Amino acid sequence: MQTQGAPILTPPYGTPSPFEAGVVRHARARGRIPTAASSTTPLQDLHGVITPNGLFFERHHAGVPTIDPAQHRLMVHGLVDRPLIFTMDELMRFPSQTRMHFLECSGNSNYAAAPASATAGDIHGLISCCEWTGVPLATVLAEAGVQSHAAWVLAEGADAAGMTRSIPIAKALDDALLVYAQNGERLRPEQGYPLRVLLPGYEGNMSVKWLRRLKVGDQPFETREETSKYTDLMPDGTARQFTFVMEAKSVITFPSGSQQLQGHGFYEISGVAWSGRGRITRAEVSTDGGASWRDAVLQEPVLSKCLTRFRAPWTWDGAPALLQSRATDETGYVQPPRETLIGVRGLNSGYHNNAIQTWSVLADGSVRNAA
Amino acid sequence: MQTQGAPILTPPYGTPSPFEAGVVRHARARGRIPTAASSTTPLQDLHGVITPNGLFFERHHAGVPTIDPAQHRLMVHGLVDRPLIFTMDELMRFPSQTRMHFLECSGNSNYAAAPASATAGDIHGLISCCEWTGVPLATVLAEAGVQSHAAWVLAEGADAAGMTRSIPIAKALDDALLVYAQNGERLRPEQGYPLRVLLPGYEGNMSVKWLRRLKVGDQPFETREETSKYTDLMPDGTARQFTFVMEAKSVITFPSGSQQLQGHGFYEISGVAWSGRGRITRAEVSTDGGASWRDAVLQEPVLSKCLTRFRAPWTWDGAPALLQSRATDETGYVQPPRETLIGVRGLNSGYHNNAIQTWSVLADGSVRNAA
């Protein structure tokens, strides 16, 4: 209090405290193509349900393109009465909606064993949540005049991967948005600036970024990203295609992997739950590895296809403990144990793992991943 | 699509597109003390209701102190059974809550005439809204044991201004939070890192930043910031002290000052409404300077003491138009016209201006501030 603080506007766009320099996204191992990469949201360092834009997880198939919004165009064609090309200014004149939704990569929480030192973000950080603003896809399709036998819509990105996915027309006409803003400001480059599609509750790669083209058809387009990739190979050698919805899931973010409790006594267990099918209706926690469960409190408002923060009081007696959480959504579906999920799906596929996570609290207060 | 995009993690904490470099906070005129300053949120460039942390408005009385959270302490004393000092780690072990609330400076929308070129942010940008996470102040006061004759709580900041305000005990025990996170991550330095109090719906300066001390007393502490400052001087020479609540208010953000319409035809009028007394129940828009009004659609969920986005369709015929919005809250209070407010309060005080804003759309599509 003895010295004047820093003056204003340095910089005009603010940044976190230097004391929070460790709260960043973490890049995951890259393959042969360096731009085909991902980075995770540090869930263990976050509170509430909003992910700040600077920490929103990334998954790119060919890096982040630089797109001048004044030059960008969206083409709508195929089984429509009036093929159309829009500028960004034209698109943004349509009526907009704002909604809070999570976005989760289908490859989140890969089944492969993570090390004991793994954090919540390391294992489950390919999920983020923010407030999206955009134009309902249904509005733009109505403007083009979708023909009666239309059944699917191809969404194509303007990245070097030419990312393409087929969207069922029912979803396109339901709650799909053409998004231009996140958490108040325009989309971040790595989230598809200046335009992406958002399919609430569906696996993340379908919410195609840097959206440049929508083609309406009468059957799925069988793109690379829905045939050789993003299908679930089952134990019998057949594959599940078009597993769109991300099922109910949860993870405790405190206490979680690599965190350290400061002695026994009172703690508040806290985590996030979500479902691609709607609202979370229940989150339970266990401190004995699933032998017994009790209800956590859900932070209001509980929104559809959105992260829900849950909290439960816990007095730690200093003995080793196994912490788990499980989510139930409005359809009645309950998040399964890891063994149950593997029993059905096997380990051929790394996608759609919504199994219960276990954190092990050791007697010294350290917290470790116990899968 | 012919070249690979930028690789990941440059930087690990993301930043907006270079094409959005103009979307920043704007510093307002500074007085004799350069660190007693403010900067405004660019409301005209934002969508939805969340303000990204980098664009959250600022108002500092002596600059932004640099505080090591490991060294920071909160003292609670005065009329309590157990005077206490907390570290940040200790405070964060208490049960937390997460809520979305606006924060508005009582000096927002100063009555002084703004130029015709002023933007929505220039005039009304001392308001922002985010998701806050913290410990209920009531919990910490209960831990200290508030004595039966306690009536006020002094909050003191650790900045060089020693910012201090008196909080009525009823508010302290109602919905006040000791906040350590905003929009998921830890508080930004300019928002009080590592700890601030948040008094939902009350004038912003009472939500003391860099909080270091709470003293419980039986009467207000009559600090500088509630005597010589932040009181409303009325036309008869008396002053209103303790005008805590920010009344219902709204502003159209599109079309708004210095924006440019691209020809006549369909537009969606969009803006934000809020009330320090609870939920917004109605937002109306006028395109003829208040001669006629129609209801805008409120974006769900409508939350208490939170910005609410409203939207209304408008087909511009190319003739000059005067755009206005007015908000009604759950108490039935209706945002007043500027003349009505000035008729009651005069122009001695620059605080608590919640009057209706008028934007003038000229025949060439340019939009100007018309007060």
Side-chain angles (χ1 to χ4, degrees), chain A residues 1-9 11-20 23-28 30 33-39 45-55 58-69 89 92-100 131 133 156-163 180-190 193 212 254 262-268 299-301 303 309 311, chain B residues 1-9 11-20 23-28 30 33-39 45-55 58-69 89 92-100 131 133 156-163 180-190 193 212 254 262-268 299-301 303 309 311:
Chain A
M1 297 177 73
Q2 305 302 311
T3 54
Q4 292 284 307
I8 227 160
L9 279 176
Y13 193 98
T15 54
S17 163
F19 293 103
E20 301 296 321
V23 181
V24 292
R25 297 185 288 219
H26 293 277
R28 287 155 54 115
R30 300 176 192 188
I33 304 168
T35 54
S38 61
S39 73
D45 295 319
L46 299 187
H47 310 271
V49 302
I50 291 280
T51 309
N53 291 342
L55 297 175
E58 301 171 90
R59 173 72 179 100
H60 316 304
H61 294 72
V64 180
T66 300
I67 299 177
D68 179 350
D89 283 346
M92 290 174 68
R93 280 179 66 168
F94 284 109
S96 291
Q97 291 185 11
T98 297
R99 289 195 242 113
M100 282 178 61
E131 182 204 70
T133 298
E156 181 184 70
D159 57 338
M163 183 74 195
Y180 54 79
Q182 62 178 125
N183 288 340
E185 66 190 358
R186 295 290 291 273
L187 276 177
R188 289 294 178 88
E190 62 272 29
Y193 183 85
R212 70 189 293 270
F254 179 84
Q262 302 296 329
H264 55 80
F266 179 85
Y267 289 95
E268 186 173 66
Q299 177 71 61
E300 297 285 344
L303 302 174
R309 174 65 57 177
R311 301 184 176 99
Chain B
M1 296 178 72
Q2 305 302 311
T3 54
Q4 293 283 307
I8 227 159
L9 279 179
Y13 193 98
T15 53
S17 164
F19 294 102
E20 301 297 321
V23 181
V24 291
R25 297 184 287 219
H26 294 277
R28 287 156 53 116
R30 300 177 192 187
I33 304 168
T35 52
S38 62
S39 75
D45 295 319
L46 299 187
H47 311 271
V49 303
I50 291 279
T51 308
N53 291 342
L55 297 176
E58 300 171 90
R59 173 72 179 99
H60 315 305
H61 295 72
V64 180
T66 300
I67 299 177
D68 179 350
D89 283 346
M92 290 174 68
R93 279 180 68 169
F94 284 109
S96 290
Q97 291 185 11
T98 298
R99 291 195 241 114
M100 283 177 60
E131 183 202 70
T133 298
E156 181 184 69
D159 56 338
M163 182 74 194
Y180 53 79
Q182 63 179 124
N183 289 339
E185 66 190 358
R186 294 291 291 275
L187 276 178
R188 290 295 178 88
E190 62 272 29
Y193 183 86
R212 69 189 293 269
F254 180 82
Q262 302 297 328
H264 56 79
F266 178 86
Y267 290 94
E268 185 173 66
Q299 176 71 62
E300 296 285 343
L303 301 175
R309 174 66 57 177
R311 300 183 177 98

Side-chain angles (χ1 to χ4, degrees), chain B residues 36 41 58 65 73 95 135 157 209 211 217 221 257 265 270 290 303 353 368 370:
Chain B
T41 292
E58 300 171 90
R73 298 291 183 273
V135 176
K209 300 188 280 194
L211 186 72
F221 292 79
S270 178
L303 301 175
N353 177 6
R368 313 295 282 172

Side-chain angles (χ1 to χ4, degrees), chain A residues 252-264:
Chain A
I252 291 172
T253 55
F254 179 84
S256 65
S258 279
Q259 290 176 336
Q260 175 69 46
L261 299 185
Q262 302 296 329
H264 55 80

Side-chain angles (χ1 to χ4, degrees), chain B:
Chain B
M1 296 178 72
Q2 305 302 311
T3 54
Q4 293 283 307
I8 227 159
L9 279 179
T10 53
Y13 193 98
T15 53
S17 164
F19 294 102
E20 301 297 321
V23 181
V24 291
R25 297 184 287 219
H26 294 277
R28 287 156 53 116
R30 300 177 192 187
R32 282 170 299 173
I33 304 168
T35 52
S38 62
S39 75
T40 55
T41 292
L43 297 174
Q44 67 282 359
D45 295 319
L46 299 187
H47 311 271
V49 303
I50 291 279
T51 308
N53 291 342
L55 297 176
F56 204 100
F57 87 88
E58 300 171 90
R59 173 72 179 99
H60 315 305
H61 295 72
V64 180
T66 300
I67 299 177
D68 179 350
Q71 301 303 319
H72 191 67
R73 298 291 183 273
L74 174 67
M75 178 164 72
V76 183
H77 69 136
L79 299 178
V80 297
D81 297 335
R82 295 170 295 280
L84 294 167
I85 294 178
F86 295 98
T87 66
M88 283 304 299
D89 283 346
E90 288 164 351
L91 262 182
M92 290 174 68
R93 279 180 68 169
F94 284 109
S96 290
Q97 291 185 11
T98 298
R99 291 195 241 114
M100 283 177 60
H101 289 301
F102 75 83
L103 194 69
E104 183 181 19
C105 179
S106 57
N108 196 22
S109 321
N110 197 294
Y111 290 85
S117 61
T119 67
D122 291 339
I123 306 172
H124 305 289
L126 293 178
I127 185 169
S128 302
C129 182
C130 74
E131 183 202 70
W132 307 95
T133 298
V135 176
L137 176 49
T139 302
V140 171
L141 291 178
E143 190 76 6
V146 173
Q147 296 177 358
S148 59
H149 54 304
W152 293 81
V153 180
L154 179 79
E156 181 184 69
D159 56 338
M163 182 74 194
T164 40
R165 284 299 309 257
S166 305
I167 304 167
I169 194 79
K171 182 68 174 177
L173 298 177
D174 178 17
D175 60 356
L177 286 179
L178 299 180
V179 163
Y180 53 79
Q182 63 179 124
N183 289 339
E185 66 190 358
R186 294 291 291 275
L187 276 178
R188 290 295 178 88
E190 62 272 29
Q191 292 305 319
Y193 183 86
L195 186 70
R196 81 179 302 170
V197 68
L198 181 77
L199 303 179
Y202 278 24
E203 57 181 16
N205 69 79
M206 297 183 68
S207 290
V208 172
K209 300 188 280 194
W210 314 293
L211 186 72
R212 69 189 293 269
R213 188 162 70 96
L214 294 168
K215 182 176 184 181
V216 180
D218 57 3
Q219 46 191 311
F221 292 79
E222 307 288 357
T223 74
R224 185 187 65 170
E225 309 297 344
E226 55 203 30
T227 51
S228 79
K229 303 291 180 188
Y230 297 118
T231 55
D232 294 292
L233 184 59
M234 305 300 286
D236 67 0
T238 65
R240 287 184 183 173
Q241 194 183 17
F242 299 139
T243 308
F244 298 139
V245 178
M246 302 304 290
E247 302 285 357
K249 187 170 170 180
S250 67
V251 61
I252 291 172
T253 56
F254 180 82
S256 65
S258 279
Q259 289 177 337
Q260 176 68 47
L261 300 185
Q262 302 297 328
H264 56 79
F266 178 86
Y267 290 94
E268 185 173 66
I269 295 172
S270 178
V272 283
W274 63 94
S275 168
R277 297 200 186 274
R279 287 181 175 74
I280 289 294
T281 53
R282 189 180 196 187
E284 298 162 280
V285 298
S286 173
T287 55
D288 53 15
S292 66
W293 295 92
R294 59 200 169 91
D295 282 343
V297 174
L298 304 182
Q299 176 71 62
E300 296 285 343
V302 176
L303 301 175
S304 182
K305 305 172 189 177
C306 182
L307 291 193
T308 296
R309 174 66 57 177
F310 64 85
R311 300 183 177 98
W314 179 46
T315 300
W316 182 46
D317 60 8
L322 292 173
L323 307 187
Q324 297 184 339
S325 66
R326 71 177 175 198
T328 304
D329 70 19
E330 60 180 293
T331 71
Y333 175 92
V334 182
Q335 182 184 5
R338 180 178 169 86
E339 315 80 65
T340 305
L341 203 62
I342 292 175
V344 174
R345 297 217 210 123
L347 286 168
N348 287 337
S349 168
Y351 300 124
H352 302 109
N353 177 6
N354 68 323
I356 290 171
Q357 163 75 42
T358 306
W359 303 116
S360 173
V361 179
L362 307 184
D364 66 358
S366 63
V367 188
R368 313 295 282 172
N369 169 40

